[in-house]
Amino acid sequence: MDTKKTLKSLAVGSVLSLAILGHAGAETTFRFAEATPNRGARADALQYFADQLESQSGGDMKLDIHWGGALLKYSAILGGVSSGTADMGSVLAAYEPQKMRALSVGDIPVPQSDSWVGMRAMYELMTTNEQLQQEFEKNEVVYVTNYTTSPMQFECAGDVRIEKLEDFAGKKVRASSIYAKILDEVGANMVNFIYSEVYQALDTGLVDCSGGYLYAMQAFKTPEVTTSVALMNWGQIAGFAMVMNKWTWDDLTREQQELLREVGSEMVDFYAERVIADNQEVIEKLPTGELGNEVEVIEWSDENRAELFDESDKYVKAWIEDMNEAGLDGQAIWDEYQSLLNKYQTELDENGYPWARS
């Protein structure tokens, strides 16, 4: 008997013994670690996943969601799911850049910034590419489905207006990941702090601009202290996934595994519809003063957006090299990801969103 697997199975925090999962009529509840509060589009999507899983399994599979970091904070979720403290959880590649290098491909800024396109491409890549699946298994987790932050925009205070990349030069800016590196290279003065402090930082002048997401602007009420939003659609953070403990997954029947993935796929469409609608509502409300100040929305031209992605090339190469050094075929994975982005962008252009089709 595999002692390591036995110990891992015993550690998993399911309500009922995993040994009875395959039996007809057996019921199990998965302990789920979620670091954010139970509000907003993504929380609705996670609850949708839980409700659909319970309904479509006939009550055999349920989630016990621990919201707001009550069980594990973001930085601890991967380790917690891996060890069995939680059965499932939401993980960000940015918190575990080496362990989650496979997932980090979704964090590289690409022109296809649509939320549905990004999540669909990531879902197909992560559920079909064997190299990436093995990377997850090395960390004793299995990929279930994908989230996204939606496109990156920049909100600014005072008389600051950002119309092109060069406008960031000399400005005090908060951003993260590759976005921060690129802005630093074009002359921005980078300031680092957590997103919950953005309102105060913009209000006091600690920063001139901050990178964020339209739905978050409404949630954190930052339009009360900003005067303009640069609608850049600068990629998205799609290195953001739902994962399950590997030993929990292995103890499920094939039908249960397939149902988890199917519900995960359905959640992608549900979440994309919600977050896209929420973001469009914010765009429409910003200039009216309904959210705070009358905030100018500055739409970037295609030419100015292209400059953003020209700056990403070196980071694409660095990601490919990192994957190669880890024993993977980085170029092949990147090419497959690009192909999938183009596939779903073409589908969107030709057929529209799935929820809007007749």
Side-chain angles (χ1 to χ4, degrees):
M1 179 178 290
D2 187 330
T3 303
K4 183 178 180 182
K5 180 174 180 179
T6 301
L7 291 172
K8 286 289 181 182
S9 294
L10 291 172
V12 169
S14 298
V15 171
L16 299 182
S17 168
L18 292 174
I20 65 170
L21 275 172
H23 296 181
E27 176 187 313
T28 188
T29 301
F30 304 117
R31 186 179 300 176
F32 194 105
E34 171 56 48
T36 57
N38 184 13
R39 61 174 181 266
R42 199 174 66 78
D44 290 345
L46 177 52
Q47 189 60 57
Y48 170 87
F49 178 93
D51 293 342
Q52 289 299 310
L53 185 65
E54 181 174 355
S55 174
Q56 294 185 41
S57 69
D60 287 349
M61 291 191 288
K62 301 178 181 179
L63 295 192
D64 173 22
I65 305 173
H66 295 252
W67 298 97
L71 181 60
L72 296 165
K73 305 298 184 185
Y74 268 135
S75 58
I77 290 179
L78 178 62
V81 175
S82 174
S83 68
T85 301
D87 302 300
M88 302 177 69
S90 303
V91 299
L92 281 155
Y95 283 97
E96 297 279 3
Q98 292 304 309
K99 291 182 178 180
M100 286 283 100
R101 58 166 57 88
L103 189 61
S104 69
V105 66
D107 291 348
I108 299 173
V110 292
Q112 299 92 341
S113 60
D114 181 84
S115 297
W116 180 78
V117 170
M119 285 192 289
R120 273 277 151 236
M122 286 291 287
Y123 179 88
E124 184 167 341
L125 182 67
M126 298 296 158
T127 57
T128 60
N129 187 290
E130 292 185 4
Q131 290 188 78
L132 298 180
Q133 290 172 346
Q134 289 169 5
E135 284 298 295
F136 278 91
E137 289 183 4
K138 287 179 183 177
N139 292 291
E140 298 174 340
V141 297
V142 174
Y143 173 96
V144 177
T145 190
N146 226 84
Y147 307 111
T148 179
T149 59
S150 78
M152 172 77 75
Q153 322 293 359
F154 276 79
E155 50 190 331
C156 303
D159 58 358
V160 177
R161 301 177 74 260
I162 303 294
E163 296 184 88
K164 54 188 180 301
L165 190 58
E166 304 92 88
D167 291 344
F168 281 104
K171 305 296 191 300
K172 295 173 291 184
V173 181
R174 177 206 173 272
S176 59
S177 187
I178 292 172
Y179 303 89
K181 294 178 182 178
I182 291 174
L183 294 178
D184 182 60
E185 290 172 357
V186 299
N189 300 314
M190 305 310 299
V191 184
N192 185 35
F193 48 85
I194 59 176
Y195 199 84
S196 61
E197 297 174 355
V198 167
Y199 184 106
Q200 183 178 6
L202 287 164
D203 189 33
T204 61
L206 178 62
V207 293
D208 299 306
C209 303
S210 175
Y213 314 100
L214 290 163
Y215 66 87
M217 295 174 195
Q218 179 166 310
F220 286 86
K221 301 183 178 181
T222 52
E224 295 178 356
V225 294
T226 56
T227 53
S228 69
V229 169
L231 203 64
M232 300 162 64
N233 293 327
W234 191 7
Q236 57 188 306
I237 302 297
F240 194 2
M242 180 189 298
V243 298
M244 174 176 270
N245 175 279
K246 182 183 184 301
W247 312 112
T248 305
W249 177 269
D250 287 347
D251 278 321
L252 297 174
T253 65
R254 180 177 295 277
E255 290 75 16
Q256 288 171 320
Q257 293 173 352
E258 289 174 353
L259 180 58
L260 275 161
R261 284 269 172 76
E262 184 177 338
V263 174
S265 178
E266 293 169 2
M267 190 202 79
V268 164
D269 288 350
F270 178 91
Y271 177 46
E273 181 178 7
R274 288 295 308 275
V275 77
I276 289 168
D278 285 359
N279 284 351
Q280 184 57 41
E281 181 182 354
V282 172
I283 290 173
E284 293 169 0
K285 287 182 176 179
L286 282 171
T288 69
E290 201 172 335
L291 302 180
N293 293 330
E294 293 183 2
V295 179
E296 180 187 11
V297 176
I298 304 168
E299 294 194 39
W300 277 38
S301 67
D302 290 341
E303 293 77 14
N304 287 340
R305 282 191 77 237
E307 289 183 31
L308 301 173
F309 305 108
D310 289 342
E311 295 292 332
S312 299
D313 285 349
K314 70 177 73 174
Y315 297 103
V316 172
K317 293 175 182 175
W319 183 87
I320 291 171
E321 290 173 3
D322 181 60
M323 295 296 278
N324 290 343
E325 290 174 4
L328 304 165
D329 189 339
Q331 187 65 57
I333 295 169
W334 178 254
D335 291 345
E336 184 179 352
Y337 179 49
Q338 293 301 295
S339 175
L340 291 168
L341 286 168
N342 290 328
K343 168 187 170 180
Y344 286 107
Q345 185 65 57
T346 299
E347 181 180 337
L348 174 60
D349 294 342
E350 294 179 352
N351 303 316
Y353 293 113
W355 55 87
R357 299 170 194 169
S358 57

